[in-house]
Amino acid sequence: MAETEDFLIRELHPEDDDIFKEPMRKRRRSDRDQRFRAFPSVEQSALKEYEKLESRTRRVLSNTYQKLIQSVFLDDNIPNSIKYLINRLLALIEKPSLDPIYIGLFGSTGAGKSSLINAIIRQAMFLPVSGESICTSCIVQVSSGCCEQYEAKIHLLSDQEWKEELKNLTTLLHRTEGPGGEEEDAWDRGDAAEEAVWKLQMFYGNGAEGKSYEELLRAKPRGKIPTSRVISLKAEEAGELSVKLDPYIRTQRRDWDGGSAETHIWPLIKLVEVTLPKSELIPEGVVLVDIPGTGDFNSKRDEMWKKTIDKCSVIWVISDIERISGGRAHEDLLNESMKACQRGFCRDLALVVTKSDKLHLPEYLRERKVGNEAIQSQREAVLERNEMIKLQRNKILKDKLKRKLPADSRVLEASELVYTVSAQEYWQQAVLTEEETEIPKLREYIRRRLLDKKKRTVTKYVTEAFGLLLLTDSFSCTDHMQNEYLHMSGLRRFVEEKIQLLEKAIDQCFAHIARPLQEGIWNARSSYRRILGACLVRSRGNQGFHQTLKAVCLKNGIYASRTLSRIDLNEAITQPIYEQIDPIFGRIFRSGKPTDGSALIPHIDAFKLSLQEKMTEIGIRNGWKYDSYKNTFLIQEISAILGGLEEHILRKKRKIYESLTTSVQNDLKPCYEEAAQITGKKACERMKDVLRRGVDRQVAEGMFERAQERMQHQFQQLKNGITEKVKGSIATMLTLASSPGDGLYKELADVKSEYKEMEKLHRSLREVAENAVLRRGMQNFLLRMSPSKAGPPKT
């Protein structure tokens, strides 16, 4: 029987045994303390207590691991139960302290993403800013660490990835005579062609746009490309690193010629990672991500753009206060962010309105319709206007989210969905106080998010470690060798029955999407021509759109521009389907309580609870006087296994959600390829005709029905994966836990001291949590009693 993927239990075999692997080294205390500099003293105390708990737990696990290794070091036939135990100990020792929290700043050109990051980290002009023009040209990640200097890594496209883009760029610019020697349509360069020329000239020099793909492959680039495809920068001061970084991340002007060697490789850059030393404002473990608004023409960069959005657990949609109403770009960004809530790891979404200090007072007073009190100053007007925007936009955003997401989604429970910030006033404070710019409020949100995650992570870690020490101690005690194991066979039968019930529950859960999916297919069949026609029409007719449409076809229906809205024909055609399935899809993958049986995770939680209750019941009925260790271990281990299963489901969610557009894109690929090859007279109209006829043909042949089948197949694969993992993992665990004793157990090292210390650590979890609550209450009391800050002078 084929081995299934094991996400928590690594089976060890004699020939590839790695149980003697050394655990990772402990973090130095001085380094650990630096992680808390961004937090107030009250929160620092809580974090230090949780950090100490985690550190001491790792030390206990490491000591236990070393003792077991010494016990079995010379043994040629280590039982599976001991391998399992050693392997689980090693996995816990090497488990990351905290997965990074990615906060995506998602906005269009000139929205103020870079200015906002600069204000949050309190480094003016650190990332390049430039008013209304495009400034940041790639994804930029900013985090803090325990490094002594300011550091940056610039990741470049690989040689193969650049060759792929180069071929597309030259194909896009290639002009040939049409049939009968007719010249192509007057070549009015559109956005796609302009960007292609720009990149080639930047990388190879003037005249590169007229050369063929083969000629450019032989041409020497203007800049030096490191063989590692990574450029590392370091500096003692923020300003020094900023100067070094600028040519790599600032969008170069299209009329530019010359400059440094760094700017010549600018078209190769796909990601920039910046690390700040021991920041007092952004805690270690948080990554701020400046995400360009529309993706990229290069396939690798565009895929990275999507994956970056999807890995963000928090997305801030950044919008200029003057563009927040009625702008298509703003709506596109909101829609893309809501999709991230559906397909990715995003749990919190907020609208961050930038440049909130902008206000023309005479105009505002003339149009003002609220309140009877007279406005005395610019500051009062700004604050009143900002509060109205918050109320209005909060309602609009919440209504949008309700249409897309389940009613009990975490994001809908947020007290604040809209922030009005001003990076400029944060530095100047001519009109608003620092608090009124709401930059401190965003920092507080970041700290709170990290603190909550740290608390949950350490609690889970210590609890899981305690379960392992319970079992380890039971294995090292000879008194337990005479216990009865017959009760395990009854538990196995119970597990098998519950797995069958879980399979049925998953089927019923996934069945909820069948009807909305079918209705969406009907809607798509009746509206695809209208949608496609709208996508193929531009206000200037065919002028300039010829090359853009060609770019769309070269990239299988998708074109991401730095200046225009993202074009995705596959997504547009399937949009009527998503409009029908989005609410139920969100309910399937929510984590709230089951109501109508449509939620998947609650079924798994119910399965876990039933197993734990059954084990407790069997223990009481059979009088597990000595096996209480194993009983507790089994309960803890099931929580760990099924907790990992939840993460597995979330990772698979994206593939399921995107299966509709992926299916349509694959079916239309021959059509896109045919259209991309068209040149000559009236090429733009001929490309449109090929696309229309191709889509008509595929729809008639069942394109939407195939997409439906492929999504249902993805759901079925997820169900099979869940049941296989549950069967394999829990069956292995029960087998190992019920293994009869043998001589080896008598030779295992005594770990009673480690067990007792772990027991104390487990008990102290509650004490640490209670201390954190008391400190928070005292802090809130002191804040309420302190006088409020006065605002700046009236203006």
Side-chain angles (χ1 to χ4, degrees):
M1 187 176 67
E3 293 183 359
T4 58
E5 178 189 357
D6 196 347
F7 62 98
L8 265 174
I9 303 172
R10 291 182 290 174
E11 295 287 355
L12 294 179
H13 304 283
E15 62 271 16
D16 58 0
D17 215 346
D18 65 348
I19 60 176
F20 304 112
K21 180 180 176 183
E22 285 294 324
M24 66 179 181
R25 295 179 180 179
K26 295 183 292 183
R27 181 191 290 266
R28 291 181 302 170
R29 178 175 297 179
S30 59
D31 289 344
R32 291 200 306 267
D33 291 344
Q34 295 294 342
R35 302 178 69 190
F36 310 134
R37 294 181 64 184
F39 293 87
S41 58
V42 170
E43 294 174 352
Q44 279 192 30
S45 299
L47 277 168
K48 286 179 180 178
E49 287 188 344
Y50 279 110
E51 189 83 358
K52 187 186 295 184
L53 265 180
E54 181 187 349
S55 177
R56 290 175 61 187
T57 298
R58 287 186 191 275
R59 186 176 67 244
V60 172
L61 291 173
S62 184
N63 291 341
T64 306
Y65 174 86
Q66 295 296 338
K67 282 188 175 182
L68 292 186
I69 287 296
Q70 291 170 10
S71 296
V72 301
F73 186 75
L74 297 177
D75 201 291
D76 293 329
N77 188 24
I78 304 173
N80 285 338
S81 53
I82 304 303
K83 289 181 182 180
Y84 172 84
L85 187 60
I86 291 174
N87 205 32
R88 286 287 285 116
L89 282 168
L90 182 60
L92 267 184
I93 292 168
E94 296 192 333
K95 191 173 184 178
S97 178
L98 189 71
D99 291 330
I101 296 174
Y102 289 91
I103 300 179
L105 283 76
F106 193 37
S108 54
T109 302
K113 302 185 297 296
S114 299
S115 297
L116 181 57
I117 291 178
N118 290 341
I120 290 174
I121 66 175
R122 199 184 288 161
Q123 295 288 350
M125 306 302 292
F126 182 70
L127 298 180
V129 295
S130 182
E132 300 296 312
S133 62
I134 304 173
C135 212
T136 307
S137 61
C138 58
I139 295 171
V140 179
Q141 295 183 173
V142 180
S143 60
S144 70
C146 289
C147 52
E148 297 296 328
Q149 295 178 303
Y150 290 85
E151 299 178 359
K153 287 186 178 181
I154 296 99
H155 300 266
L156 308 180
L157 293 173
S158 69
D159 186 57
Q160 190 59 40
E161 289 163 356
W162 172 246
K163 285 180 180 178
E164 177 197 334
E165 179 164 7
L166 182 61
K167 190 164 189 175
N168 285 325
L169 293 174
T170 53
T171 301
L172 186 63
L173 296 176
H174 185 57
R175 288 182 288 170
T176 61
E177 291 184 351
E182 294 177 328
E183 288 292 330
E184 225 177 317
D185 288 334
W187 202 58
D188 180 15
R189 282 180 181 169
D191 178 82
E194 288 285 357
E195 187 159 333
V197 170
W198 180 31
K199 286 183 177 179
L200 294 179
Q201 289 179 346
M202 179 76 69
F203 196 64
Y204 294 109
N206 289 333
E209 70 276 15
K211 296 181 180 179
S212 68
Y213 170 68
E214 290 74 17
E215 289 174 323
L216 290 175
L217 282 179
R218 295 190 295 270
K220 184 179 179 180
R222 301 171 74 186
K224 185 178 179 181
I225 304 170
T227 54
S228 64
R229 315 299 278 201
V230 176
I231 299 170
S232 297
L233 304 174
K234 291 185 179 181
E236 294 291 335
E237 301 294 332
E240 183 185 352
L241 184 68
S242 178
V243 171
K244 292 181 179 181
L245 262 180
D246 193 272
Y248 294 106
I249 60 179
R250 181 186 291 275
T251 298
Q252 303 302 322
R253 290 169 47 198
R254 300 197 182 193
D255 58 355
W256 169 94
D257 186 25
S260 63
E262 290 88 347
T263 58
H264 296 155
I265 65 168
W266 175 83
L268 288 185
I269 298 171
K270 62 180 178 182
L271 171 68
V272 174
E273 295 178 300
V274 180
T275 306
L276 312 177
K278 308 168 186 175
S279 172
E280 296 182 0
L281 298 166
I282 173 173
E284 184 181 350
V286 171
V287 183
L288 299 176
V289 191
D290 187 339
I291 307 174
T294 58
D296 197 276
F297 181 64
N298 176 268
S299 299
K300 187 67 176 179
R301 276 193 293 248
D302 197 60
E303 178 64 16
M304 179 177 288
W305 176 78
K306 267 196 170 184
K307 285 185 176 179
T308 300
I309 294 172
D310 288 346
K311 76 180 179 182
C312 291
S313 56
V314 179
I315 291 180
W316 291 343
V317 179
I318 313 298
S319 186
D320 184 333
I321 198 164
E322 294 181 344
R323 303 182 190 178
I324 198 168
S325 299
R328 179 183 170 185
H330 172 70
E331 293 301 316
D332 288 345
L333 291 170
L334 274 180
N335 290 333
E336 191 65 42
S337 301
M338 286 188 283
K339 286 176 193 171
C341 291
Q342 293 281 35
R343 69 178 183 235
F345 287 86
C346 181
R347 290 293 176 270
D348 280 350
L349 187 151
L351 173 62
V352 179
V353 183
T354 58
K355 308 175 186 177
S356 66
D357 59 300
K358 285 186 177 182
L359 182 139
H360 186 245
L361 187 57
E363 182 179 331
Y364 177 75
L365 293 175
R366 186 176 68 248
E367 297 179 356
R368 182 171 176 257
K369 298 178 180 178
V370 296
N372 298 318
E373 296 182 8
I375 292 292
Q376 301 295 326
S377 66
Q378 180 89 5
R379 172 175 172 265
E380 290 181 7
V382 167
L383 293 176
E384 182 184 79
R385 189 274 316 272
N386 290 351
E387 191 60 32
M388 284 193 301
I389 285 178
K390 280 186 179 182
L391 292 172
Q392 294 167 358
R393 288 290 145 183
N394 190 78
K395 183 179 185 307
I396 292 171
L397 181 55
K398 188 161 284 192
D399 288 343
K400 284 179 179 290
L401 291 170
K402 283 179 180 178
R403 290 196 295 268
K404 291 282 185 180
L405 304 176
D408 59 353
S409 295
R410 174 177 171 173
V411 65
L412 292 174
E413 297 173 359
S415 57
E416 289 187 277
L417 287 175
V418 181
Y419 298 87
T420 51
V421 304
S422 173
Q424 180 173 308
E425 275 299 296
Y426 174 78
W427 300 109
Q428 297 178 356
Q429 296 184 34
V431 176
L432 302 175
T433 66
E434 179 177 316
E435 291 295 324
E436 289 165 348
T437 66
E438 299 202 357
I439 299 297
K441 186 181 285 189
L442 293 181
R443 290 194 193 124
E444 182 185 0
Y445 171 90
I446 292 171
R447 292 195 304 267
R448 187 173 65 249
R449 179 87 184 191
L450 185 68
L451 181 60
D452 290 345
K453 185 171 183 179
K454 183 68 176 179
K455 182 165 54 178
R456 291 194 306 270
T457 302
V458 172
T459 300
K460 182 179 178 182
Y461 186 79
V462 173
T463 303
E464 193 173 341
F466 180 53
L468 275 179
L469 263 294
L470 281 170
L471 186 65
T472 306
D473 185 54
S474 73
F475 277 171
S476 64
C477 294
T478 57
D479 293 341
H480 299 167
M481 294 303 102
Q482 303 302 320
N483 293 338
E484 296 181 5
Y485 294 93
L486 294 177
H487 49 260
M488 284 295 180
S489 61
L491 182 57
R492 285 196 190 90
R493 288 194 298 272
F494 177 81
V495 169
E496 290 171 1
E497 293 171 1
K498 284 296 180 181
I499 288 176
Q500 291 177 1
L501 291 176
L502 178 62
E503 287 181 301
K504 292 180 181 178
I506 294 174
D507 283 334
Q508 293 171 0
C509 170
F510 292 165
H512 283 78
I513 206 166
R515 184 174 179 82
L517 185 56
Q518 184 61 59
E519 291 174 352
I521 298 297
W522 293 336
N523 292 347
R525 287 183 67 90
S526 63
S527 60
Y528 77 89
R529 284 177 179 157
R530 172 181 56 79
I531 293 171
L532 181 63
C535 291
L536 298 179
V537 171
R538 286 294 181 271
S539 58
R540 293 187 301 156
N542 293 339
Q543 288 187 345
F545 187 56
H546 174 195
Q547 301 301 323
T548 300
L549 185 56
K550 190 170 188 176
V552 170
C553 295
L554 282 170
K555 306 306 292 183
N556 294 323
I558 301 172
Y559 175 61
S561 160
R562 297 180 188 277
T563 55
L564 298 177
S565 298
R566 183 180 178 89
I567 299 173
D568 190 334
L569 298 184
N570 313 297
E571 193 173 277
I573 291 171
T574 54
Q575 189 56 35
I577 310 177
Y578 284 108
E579 288 174 357
Q580 289 294 321
I581 69 169
D582 271 351
I584 188 63
F585 191 91
R587 288 203 293 273
I588 288 174
F589 291 99
R590 70 185 175 193
S591 56
K593 294 181 180 179
T595 52
D596 57 358
S598 62
L600 176 59
I601 301 300
H603 285 303
I604 295 172
D605 289 340
F607 172 75
K608 175 180 70 176
L609 183 60
S610 66
L611 260 60
Q612 292 173 337
E613 289 176 345
K614 186 65 175 179
M615 282 186 287
T616 302
E617 175 193 325
I618 290 176
I620 295 172
R621 188 170 64 241
N622 290 277
W624 282 6
K625 182 178 178 182
Y626 298 107
D627 261 355
S628 60
Y629 296 96
K630 288 186 178 179
N631 185 35
T632 305
F633 161 75
L634 290 173
I635 290 174
Q636 301 289 359
E637 199 70 354
I638 284 174
S639 293
I641 288 172
L642 296 180
L645 185 62
E646 182 174 347
E647 294 175 8
H648 167 78
I649 290 169
L650 291 176
R651 286 194 297 270
K652 295 294 184 183
K653 183 173 70 166
R654 180 189 178 193
K655 188 174 182 180
I656 297 174
Y657 189 76
E658 294 184 339
S659 61
L660 294 174
T661 52
T662 302
S663 176
V664 166
Q665 185 180 47
N666 289 337
D667 285 354
L668 293 179
K669 189 173 182 179
C671 169
Y672 292 135
E673 291 174 347
E674 180 184 353
Q677 299 303 315
I678 293 175
T679 58
K681 196 71 173 175
K682 297 184 178 179
C684 189
E685 284 303 324
R686 288 160 53 208
M687 279 194 289
K688 291 179 182 180
D689 287 341
V690 166
L691 291 175
R692 292 189 188 102
R693 284 187 282 105
V695 175
D696 279 342
R697 183 172 61 254
Q698 288 297 326
V699 170
E701 293 174 359
M703 179 178 73
F704 291 126
E705 287 73 17
R706 285 192 296 274
Q708 178 183 16
E709 290 171 3
R710 286 163 182 164
M711 174 172 269
Q712 290 172 331
H713 177 67
Q714 290 291 333
F715 274 114
Q716 184 63 36
Q717 282 192 321
L718 177 59
K719 188 197 91 167
N720 294 341
I722 291 171
T723 54
E724 285 177 10
K725 289 176 188 298
V726 169
K727 288 177 183 177
S729 301
I730 294 184
T732 301
M733 182 194 66
L734 292 177
T735 299
L736 298 178
S738 62
S739 299
D742 57 36
L744 177 65
Y745 292 151
K746 298 178 184 180
E747 300 174 10
L748 281 179
D750 184 5
V751 294
K752 283 193 181 300
S753 61
E754 285 78 14
Y755 163 68
K756 289 180 179 178
E757 186 176 355
M758 195 66 242
E759 190 176 31
K760 291 178 183 177
L761 292 172
H762 188 252
R763 283 200 305 265
S764 65
L765 272 176
R766 176 177 294 182
E767 180 182 343
V768 171
E770 289 173 349
N771 288 344
V773 172
L774 287 172
R775 291 192 191 98
R776 172 64 67 179
M778 181 61 70
Q779 183 187 47
N780 292 338
F781 173 76
L782 293 174
L783 286 173
R784 288 196 302 270
M785 297 300 292
S786 63
S788 59
K789 295 181 180 180
K794 294 180 180 180
T795 57

